């Protein structure tokens, strides 16, 4: 073990002998400005009457320093100082350094506006947000930019409502049930190309029909 003696503030290698049959002895770890503090280096098991110590009777017990936490202005600022396991904080986001790159613990994009298809107009928030690997989409829209516009039930499949930006799109289609005003409904699909598309409508889609949808999925 290594022993710090605060009487001299020197650290020396030392041996703490245990009691036969009782396992490794407890280390002395006195807090404050005086006393002794010990950290383990190895445990050695000595059989009764042993003349030599075999390699299998030595168990390493190194105590590693914990990873550093470094606030930085840019992720590259500390690249030459980092070791695997270090933590970075930059611009409101925490990152872990894996030895070659910084990976965010939780990446929060905040709310990002999405644009509706020409047949729809906003009636509240139309936003997308990603926190970690979870994407949440909020759509509040009203159908029809032309007075008395109608899309018949059989023609609704494939109707694009909006498109979400790159970085929020799913790797495969995600499906949701959506309720429209007037107790109507259809299925929504969020596709890998970012399109939010309607299918399988229960009724015709008429002018001023409102859509309220909250869609959540894991990328």
């Amino acid at each position: 073990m290594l022993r710090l003696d605060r009487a001299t503030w020197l650290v020396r290698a030392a041996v703490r002998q245990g009691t036969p049959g009782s396992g490794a002895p407890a280390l002395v770890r006195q807090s404050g400005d005086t006393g002794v503090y010990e950290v383990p280096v190895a445990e050695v098991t000595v059989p009764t009457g042993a003349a030599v110590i075999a390699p299998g009777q030595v168990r390493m017990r190194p105590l590693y320093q914990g990873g550093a936490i470094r606030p930085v202005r840019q992720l590259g600022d500390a690249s030459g100082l980092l070791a695997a396991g270090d933590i970075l904080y930059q611009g409101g986001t925490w990152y872990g350094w894996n030895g070659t790159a910084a990976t965010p613990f939780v990446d929060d994009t905040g709310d990002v506006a999405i644009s509706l298809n020409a047949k729809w107009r906003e009636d509240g928030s139309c936003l997308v947000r990603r926190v970690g690997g979870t994407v949440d989409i909020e759509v509040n829209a009203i159908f029809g930019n032309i007075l008395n516009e109608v899309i018949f039930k059989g023609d609704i499949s494939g109707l694009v409502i909006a498109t979400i930006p790159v970085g929020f799109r799913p790797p495969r289609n995600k499906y949701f049930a959506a309720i429209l005003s007037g107790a109507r409904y259809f299925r929504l699909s969020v596709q890998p190309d970012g399109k939010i598309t309607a299918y399988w409508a229960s009724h015709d889609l008429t002018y001023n029909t409102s859509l309220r949808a909250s869609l959540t999925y894991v990328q």
Side-chain angles (χ1 to χ4, degrees):
M1 65 183 176
L2 297 176
R3 177 184 292 146
L4 166 65
D5 186 346
R6 293 190 184 92
T8 59
W9 291 101
L10 294 177
V11 178
R12 292 188 172 93
V15 174
R16 179 167 293 282
Q17 185 173 340
T19 302
S22 299
L27 300 178
V28 177
R29 293 185 169 182
Q30 298 170 325
S31 60
D33 295 331
T34 61
V36 170
Y37 195 92
E38 299 171 342
V39 296
V41 174
E43 289 182 4
V44 180
T45 301
V46 182
T48 301
V52 296
I53 302 298
Q57 293 162 346
V58 179
R59 182 167 69 94
M60 299 299 295
R61 287 192 56 196
L63 184 65
Y64 295 103
Q65 177 184 356
I69 299 178
R70 304 177 187 274
V72 295
R73 292 188 177 183
Q74 301 293 332
L75 291 179
D77 288 353
S79 59
L81 306 173
L82 299 174
D86 284 356
I87 297 172
L88 303 174
Y89 179 78
Q90 186 268 332
T93 302
W94 292 93
Y95 298 83
W97 183 260
N98 63 12
T100 57
T103 302
F105 291 158
V106 178
D107 179 23
D108 188 347
T109 65
D111 291 332
V112 177
I114 58 177
S115 298
L116 297 175
N117 178 274
K119 291 185 177 295
W120 296 83
R121 60 189 190 275
E122 290 187 8
D123 188 37
S125 300
C126 293
L127 305 167
V128 62
R129 180 177 183 176
R130 187 184 68 246
V131 179
T134 301
V135 176
D136 181 70
I137 302 170
E138 182 180 348
V139 178
N140 294 282
I142 292 180
F143 173 74
N145 279 313
I146 301 173
L147 185 63
N148 296 326
E149 185 173 11
V150 176
I151 297 180
F152 294 113
K153 172 182 174 180
D155 298 327
I156 289 177
S157 288
L159 173 66
V160 176
I161 297 170
T163 302
I164 60 174
V166 173
F168 300 89
R169 299 173 180 179
R172 57 187 180 277
N173 287 349
K174 302 290 185 178
Y175 300 102
F176 305 88
I179 304 298
L180 305 167
S181 58
R184 290 170 285 185
Y185 60 88
F186 52 38
R187 188 181 77 174
L188 288 180
S189 172
V190 184
Q191 301 171 341
D193 61 2
K195 293 178 180 178
I196 303 174
T197 306
Y199 295 91
W200 296 350
S202 63
H203 298 76
D204 297 342
L205 188 58
T206 56
Y207 183 75
N208 269 354
T209 298
S210 63
L211 167 65
R212 303 280 184 264
S214 293
L215 317 175
T216 303
Y217 55 86
V218 177
Q219 282 186 303

